[in-house]
Amino acid sequence: MENEVDNLLYKPKNGYGKLSAAELAEMDAYCLRYRHFIDEAKTEREAVKQTVAMAQAHGFTMYSSEMKLKPGDRVYQVNRGKGVVFAVIGEKSLSEGCRIAVAHADSPRLDVKPNPLCEMEQFGLIKTHYYGGIKKYQWTAVPLALHGVICKKDGSVQTVCIGEQEGDPVFCVTDLLIHLSKDQLGKTMREGVTGENLKVLFGSRPLDGDEKEKSIKLALLHILHQLFGIEEEDFLSAELTLVPAWRSRDLGLDRSMIAAYGHDDRICAYAEFEPLLELEKPAYTAVCLIADKEEIGSIGVSGMQSRFFDDFMADLCESGGGHLRRCMRNSLCMSADVVNALDPVYSDVSDGQNCARFNYGVAVAKYTGSGGKGGCSDASAEIVARFRHIFDQGGVLWQSAELGKVDQGGGGTVAGYMANRNIDTLDVGVGLLSMHSPLEIAAKLDCYMMRRAADAFYRYG
Ligand code: MN
Ligand code: MN
């Protein structure tokens, strides 16, 4: 009797102890592959390049709308180099719906301003405008690498990546020494480092020559010209960004965690992408969409609000002999994005009974939003129940998660934009510590379970 009553309780548990030795080995192997991916893909453009190269090696071909598609076909379409969608055509008609997994590959960072180069007190500096939500003080005194593209008027594109290779120079935003920080330390953390203060140290050595030519800025432009054949005006049509220069590392004496820049949201994007490589002929067509611009509202041609996705689905239905509106309303979407995990030092912002915890598996968020669920897609009870069943079938360890205590703050994901398209959608993701900082932390067990969740979604969803 006592046991029967005990079984009525919902008792989420730490996932260690539930995995076999083989599963633990699989977890470590997957986490290594994931680490390799994020070390090579620190921007959305790089994430697209990496995933497309892997997909091509696994039989995916570039989609064009004239194609006729049949079950088992594997296609992808790139959106302006910054977003990408992959599809494996299923046995059932497209009119019966797809299993659509979405995530984003953009992360908070320091974007270079259109006219960035300046000289102050005989230093060359790069002016930046931060991208996404950051605590600005966290981005000072951190080694930064320069990534991006410079597009010239003649149509040529120069790819830039400085600071990632051993021996490359790095860049950084300076911070004031503690000895002279009396005024700065009296300010709020919001005001202590301003957006305009996020200027990146770029050089200090003047050109040789007479006094008036000893310009640091000119010397730097000279180097840029040698490296990329560009003039200062070419910055106007460039997309350059500064990201932490370090690579991912195992974290903890037990190596149970991964520290890296940009887990948000490549930890979900990669988890949703990788299972597609081995998916042969699913019952329902599997679609994996990696979007851009989530961190700034999903607006724009490469964001989740773009018609790119609708156009792709319409074309896909034409190519595969399906009916678009029926396809959309019969589809199921797993919107995967990171959530906050309970931080032992800041546990007061979370409701311990409703927050994600490290090593408890994939986090399912029925809703996100802020101030009374504002701006979120609140998944229906029916859909949450469907996912409970899918995860049971796939042996997925999962937990329910809410983004912090009520009225503590909050945030949104792309789930709402999918749901607005008449597609049932659920937020699923990986709990992080230090989210949006230059060094985000994830638990390996949760990272691995995200991949299993995506695999189960394609197979049993
Ligand atoms: Mn995110
Ligand atoms: Mn984010």
Side-chain angles (χ1 to χ4, degrees), residues 54 62 67 72 88 109 145 147 195 325 428 460:
M54 289 174 73
M62 197 195 290
M67 281 179 169
V88 179
R109 64 196 185 211
H147 290 236
R325 284 202 307 276
V428 172
Y460 312 115

PDB file of all heavy atoms in Angstrom, residues 54 62 67 72 88 109 145 147 195 325 428 460:
ATOM      1  N   MET A  54      28.502  18.445 -43.855  1.00  0.00           N
ATOM      2  CA  MET A  54      28.212  17.126 -43.285  1.00  0.00           C
ATOM      3  C   MET A  54      27.037  16.474 -44.010  1.00  0.00           C
ATOM      4  O   MET A  54      27.049  15.269 -44.287  1.00  0.00           O
ATOM      5  CB  MET A  54      27.882  17.252 -41.786  1.00  0.00           C
ATOM      6  CG  MET A  54      29.083  17.597 -40.932  1.00  0.00           C
ATOM      7  SD  MET A  54      28.600  17.912 -39.216  1.00  0.00           S
ATOM      8  CE  MET A  54      28.221  16.274 -38.667  1.00  0.00           C
ATOM      9  N   MET A  62      21.328  19.739 -52.842  1.00  0.00           N
ATOM     10  CA  MET A  62      20.704  21.056 -52.778  1.00  0.00           C
ATOM     11  C   MET A  62      19.328  20.985 -53.442  1.00  0.00           C
ATOM     12  O   MET A  62      19.199  20.477 -54.557  1.00  0.00           O
ATOM     13  CB  MET A  62      21.580  22.089 -53.484  1.00  0.00           C
ATOM     14  CG  MET A  62      21.208  23.524 -53.113  1.00  0.00           C
ATOM     15  SD  MET A  62      21.908  24.722 -54.228  1.00  0.00           S
ATOM     16  CE  MET A  62      23.627  24.613 -53.796  1.00  0.00           C
ATOM     17  N   MET A  67      12.395  19.935 -58.549  1.00  0.00           N
ATOM     18  CA  MET A  67      12.604  18.519 -58.208  1.00  0.00           C
ATOM     19  C   MET A  67      11.299  17.793 -57.946  1.00  0.00           C
ATOM     20  O   MET A  67      10.345  18.375 -57.430  1.00  0.00           O
ATOM     21  CB  MET A  67      13.442  18.409 -56.932  1.00  0.00           C
ATOM     22  CG  MET A  67      14.913  18.612 -57.119  1.00  0.00           C
ATOM     23  SD  MET A  67      15.694  18.463 -55.484  1.00  0.00           S
ATOM     24  CE  MET A  67      17.402  18.411 -55.975  1.00  0.00           C
ATOM     25  N   GLY A  72      12.530   8.914 -48.853  1.00  0.00           N
ATOM     26  CA  GLY A  72      13.951   8.598 -48.729  1.00  0.00           C
ATOM     27  C   GLY A  72      14.859   9.668 -49.298  1.00  0.00           C
ATOM     28  O   GLY A  72      16.060   9.688 -49.017  1.00  0.00           O
ATOM     29  N   VAL A  88      14.270  15.079 -44.910  1.00  0.00           N
ATOM     30  CA  VAL A  88      14.324  13.678 -45.353  1.00  0.00           C
ATOM     31  C   VAL A  88      12.876  13.274 -45.607  1.00  0.00           C
ATOM     32  O   VAL A  88      12.038  13.299 -44.692  1.00  0.00           O
ATOM     33  CB  VAL A  88      14.954  12.758 -44.287  1.00  0.00           C
ATOM     34  CG1 VAL A  88      14.975  11.312 -44.777  1.00  0.00           C
ATOM     35  CG2 VAL A  88      16.365  13.226 -43.930  1.00  0.00           C
ATOM     36  N   ARG A 109      26.892  38.454 -29.080  1.00  0.00           N
ATOM     37  CA  ARG A 109      28.288  38.745 -29.473  1.00  0.00           C
ATOM     38  C   ARG A 109      28.450  40.243 -29.671  1.00  0.00           C
ATOM     39  O   ARG A 109      27.494  41.013 -29.476  1.00  0.00           O
ATOM     40  CB  ARG A 109      28.583  38.015 -30.776  1.00  0.00           C
ATOM     41  CG  ARG A 109      27.690  38.555 -31.888  1.00  0.00           C
ATOM     42  CD  ARG A 109      27.623  37.654 -33.103  1.00  0.00           C
ATOM     43  NE  ARG A 109      26.843  38.310 -34.149  1.00  0.00           N
ATOM     44  CZ  ARG A 109      26.097  37.690 -35.043  1.00  0.00           C
ATOM     45  NH1 ARG A 109      26.013  36.383 -35.049  1.00  0.00           N
ATOM     46  NH2 ARG A 109      25.421  38.354 -35.943  1.00  0.00           N
ATOM     47  N   ALA A 145      37.915  36.759 -30.977  1.00  0.00           N
ATOM     48  CA  ALA A 145      38.313  36.456 -32.356  1.00  0.00           C
ATOM     49  C   ALA A 145      37.374  37.187 -33.310  1.00  0.00           C
ATOM     50  O   ALA A 145      36.210  37.431 -32.989  1.00  0.00           O
ATOM     51  CB  ALA A 145      38.238  34.944 -32.605  1.00  0.00           C
ATOM     52  N   HIS A 147      35.364  37.246 -36.719  1.00  0.00           N
ATOM     53  CA  HIS A 147      34.773  36.348 -37.725  1.00  0.00           C
ATOM     54  C   HIS A 147      33.864  37.150 -38.643  1.00  0.00           C
ATOM     55  O   HIS A 147      33.271  38.129 -38.210  1.00  0.00           O
ATOM     56  CB  HIS A 147      33.890  35.288 -37.058  1.00  0.00           C
ATOM     57  CG  HIS A 147      34.632  34.261 -36.273  1.00  0.00           C
ATOM     58  ND1 HIS A 147      34.510  32.917 -36.522  1.00  0.00           N
ATOM     59  CD2 HIS A 147      35.492  34.376 -35.238  1.00  0.00           C
ATOM     60  CE1 HIS A 147      35.268  32.240 -35.673  1.00  0.00           C
ATOM     61  NE2 HIS A 147      35.868  33.102 -34.870  1.00  0.00           N
ATOM     62  N   GLY A 195      27.492  50.512 -23.727  1.00  0.00           N
ATOM     63  CA  GLY A 195      27.591  49.937 -25.069  1.00  0.00           C
ATOM     64  C   GLY A 195      28.695  50.584 -25.879  1.00  0.00           C
ATOM     65  O   GLY A 195      29.464  49.898 -26.562  1.00  0.00           O
ATOM     66  N   ARG A 325      -1.543  23.517 -46.982  1.00  0.00           N
ATOM     67  CA  ARG A 325      -2.277  23.864 -45.757  1.00  0.00           C
ATOM     68  C   ARG A 325      -2.525  22.632 -44.893  1.00  0.00           C
ATOM     69  O   ARG A 325      -2.405  22.689 -43.675  1.00  0.00           O
ATOM     70  CB  ARG A 325      -3.598  24.560 -46.099  1.00  0.00           C
ATOM     71  CG  ARG A 325      -3.417  26.010 -46.538  1.00  0.00           C
ATOM     72  CD  ARG A 325      -4.697  26.815 -46.363  1.00  0.00           C
ATOM     73  NE  ARG A 325      -5.849  26.197 -47.002  1.00  0.00           N
ATOM     74  CZ  ARG A 325      -6.161  26.332 -48.300  1.00  0.00           C
ATOM     75  NH1 ARG A 325      -5.398  27.067 -49.093  1.00  0.00           N
ATOM     76  NH2 ARG A 325      -7.227  25.748 -48.801  1.00  0.00           N
ATOM     77  N   VAL A 428      11.351  22.682 -26.300  1.00  0.00           N
ATOM     78  CA  VAL A 428      12.182  21.654 -25.682  1.00  0.00           C
ATOM     79  C   VAL A 428      13.607  22.190 -25.704  1.00  0.00           C
ATOM     80  O   VAL A 428      13.946  22.956 -26.603  1.00  0.00           O
ATOM     81  CB  VAL A 428      12.086  20.348 -26.523  1.00  0.00           C
ATOM     82  CG1 VAL A 428      13.065  19.308 -26.050  1.00  0.00           C
ATOM     83  CG2 VAL A 428      10.668  19.791 -26.493  1.00  0.00           C
ATOM     84  N   TYR A 460       9.400   8.672 -33.893  1.00  0.00           N
ATOM     85  CA  TYR A 460       8.139   8.278 -33.255  1.00  0.00           C
ATOM     86  C   TYR A 460       7.103   9.407 -33.199  1.00  0.00           C
ATOM     87  O   TYR A 460       5.996   9.217 -32.710  1.00  0.00           O
ATOM     88  CB  TYR A 460       8.396   7.763 -31.829  1.00  0.00           C
ATOM     89  CG  TYR A 460       9.523   6.755 -31.748  1.00  0.00           C
ATOM     90  CD1 TYR A 460      10.687   7.031 -31.044  1.00  0.00           C
ATOM     91  CD2 TYR A 460       9.398   5.513 -32.387  1.00  0.00           C
ATOM     92  CE1 TYR A 460      11.716   6.104 -30.968  1.00  0.00           C
ATOM     93  CE2 TYR A 460      10.430   4.592 -32.317  1.00  0.00           C
ATOM     94  CZ  TYR A 460      11.586   4.891 -31.611  1.00  0.00           C
ATOM     95  OH  TYR A 460      12.596   3.980 -31.547  1.00  0.00           O
TER      96      TYR A 460
END
